[in-house]
Amino acid sequence: MNKYLLVISGELKRNLTYRGRVVIWVLVDLVQVIIFPFLWLAIYGERNAIAGLTRADIVTYYIVVFLISLLITSHAIFHVQEDIQKGNLNQIITKPLNYLLFAHIREFGYKICMVAVCVPLFIFLRLIFPEYLNLPSPAMLGWMILFLLYARLISYSLQMIVGLGTFWLGETKALSHIRFILERTFSGEFAPLSFFPLILQTIAASLPFQYLYFIPAQVYLGKVPPTDLVNHAIVGGLWVVVALVIINVMWWRGLKRYEGVGI
């Protein structure tokens, strides 16, 4: 385990060295939090609620999505694709490391930096806009942790599936764009899925993307009935298992095709 702690420590030091870049990434993501709530508040007009979400709920929703994006979302695809294309994988697979676990935890150094940014930011927003930033009920905290874990593993797995496709395709930009469009559309990042037409809600319910943002945010807001919480916990867990099985199969089959040559 110490070897993986060293990986996290090394990535943490690297991000602290280039902390200006970290701040820029946070500010870029923060633009969405600033724009979308004001846009929806204008759409609300005099109405107190739309699709069961109050004015305070919609602001809280986007703040929660923003924090999930910083703390949970994986960007493993870029590292994996580069490792395979440039032959960096040669050095990694000769070390006593599980590559899939390595790819998962090497982002933790950056995520630790994000925790240091997000906690003070959340406290600040709560103090400045208490009427527009709801807090979760204590009963929801345990569920929230579970669904955040799901969100992290599903995000990581989706990124890895596309990234490992480099073994066969050599270049996965097209697949990455498709994943990006589907994720942005059906994850609830742009807008709560409950605002979508019924047909799109039905499609979203059959895909894993809703567990990235929409379901965790709804759980935070206390908008998911207890029976639905159990159902989502089961279905979300199944998606995690299926995704992890897929990336393991792709990894071992991909290694058989890997030529160890960089470009």
Side-chain angles (χ1 to χ4, degrees):
M1 182 57 68
N2 288 339
K3 56 193 174 187
Y4 296 109
L5 293 177
L6 288 174
V7 171
I8 297 173
S9 175
E11 287 297 307
L12 177 60
K13 291 176 181 177
R14 186 174 68 85
N15 281 284
L16 290 176
T17 300
Y18 300 101
R19 49 190 175 274
R21 180 176 59 182
V22 174
V23 172
I24 291 174
W25 285 340
V26 173
L27 292 177
V28 169
D29 287 338
L30 188 59
V31 170
Q32 177 173 309
V33 178
I34 296 174
I35 293 176
F36 279 113
F38 283 109
L39 175 62
W40 279 108
L41 287 177
I43 294 173
Y44 269 60
E46 298 299 321
R47 287 175 289 187
N48 292 323
I50 296 179
L53 295 180
T54 66
R55 297 166 66 88
D57 288 337
I58 196 65
V59 175
T60 302
Y61 179 90
Y62 279 106
I63 292 175
V64 171
V65 166
F66 164 68
L67 295 176
I68 292 174
S69 176
L70 290 181
L71 297 174
I72 303 300
T73 302
S74 174
H75 302 284
I77 183 175
F78 304 108
H79 298 295
V80 174
Q81 182 171 292
E82 185 176 89
D83 288 343
I84 298 172
Q85 288 180 334
K86 295 185 177 181
N88 299 338
L89 197 58
N90 298 347
Q91 302 176 14
I92 301 173
I93 61 177
T94 58
K95 298 176 180 178
L97 293 170
N98 180 307
Y99 181 77
L100 297 182
L101 180 57
F102 168 76
H104 179 60
I105 69 165
R106 70 174 160 185
E107 294 184 298
F108 285 10
Y110 172 69
K111 298 304 180 184
I112 292 173
C113 293
M114 290 299 98
V115 171
V117 171
C118 289
V119 171
L121 179 60
F122 182 86
I123 295 173
F124 172 77
L125 292 173
R126 172 63 182 174
L127 292 175
I128 299 299
F129 305 109
E131 71 278 14
Y132 281 116
L133 181 52
N134 297 328
L135 295 176
S137 67
M140 288 294 104
L141 288 179
W143 288 106
M144 188 67 187
I145 292 172
L146 174 64
F147 284 105
L148 287 178
L149 176 61
Y150 284 175
R152 171 61 193 179
L153 292 174
I154 290 174
S155 176
Y156 160 75
S157 298
L158 292 174
Q159 292 268 331
M160 289 295 291
I161 287 170
V162 177
L164 292 173
T166 308
F167 280 127
W168 291 269
L169 302 176
E171 176 59 66
T172 58
K173 285 185 178 179
L175 281 179
S176 184
H177 283 304
I178 293 173
R179 179 206 58 82
F180 177 81
I181 293 171
L182 289 174
E183 184 174 305
R184 287 296 179 94
T185 302
F186 295 110
S187 68
E189 183 176 4
F190 282 153
L193 296 179
S194 53
F195 289 2
F196 283 24
L198 184 58
I199 186 171
L200 292 182
Q201 291 187 44
T202 302
I203 295 173
S206 64
L207 298 172
F209 303 107
Q210 63 177 332
Y211 292 97
L212 297 176
Y213 300 112
F214 180 68
I215 297 299
Q218 289 288 91
V219 171
Y220 180 96
L221 292 170
K223 301 296 182 180
V224 183
T227 53
D228 288 346
L229 277 173
V230 175
N231 291 335
H232 282 305
I234 295 172
V235 175
L238 289 175
W239 275 119
V240 169
V241 171
V242 169
L244 292 177
V245 168
I246 290 174
I247 63 174
N248 273 276
V249 171
M250 290 183 69
W251 167 248
W252 290 111
R253 292 191 175 182
L255 275 183
K256 295 178 181 179
R257 299 178 59 90
Y258 181 59
E259 297 178 351
V261 179
I263 60 173

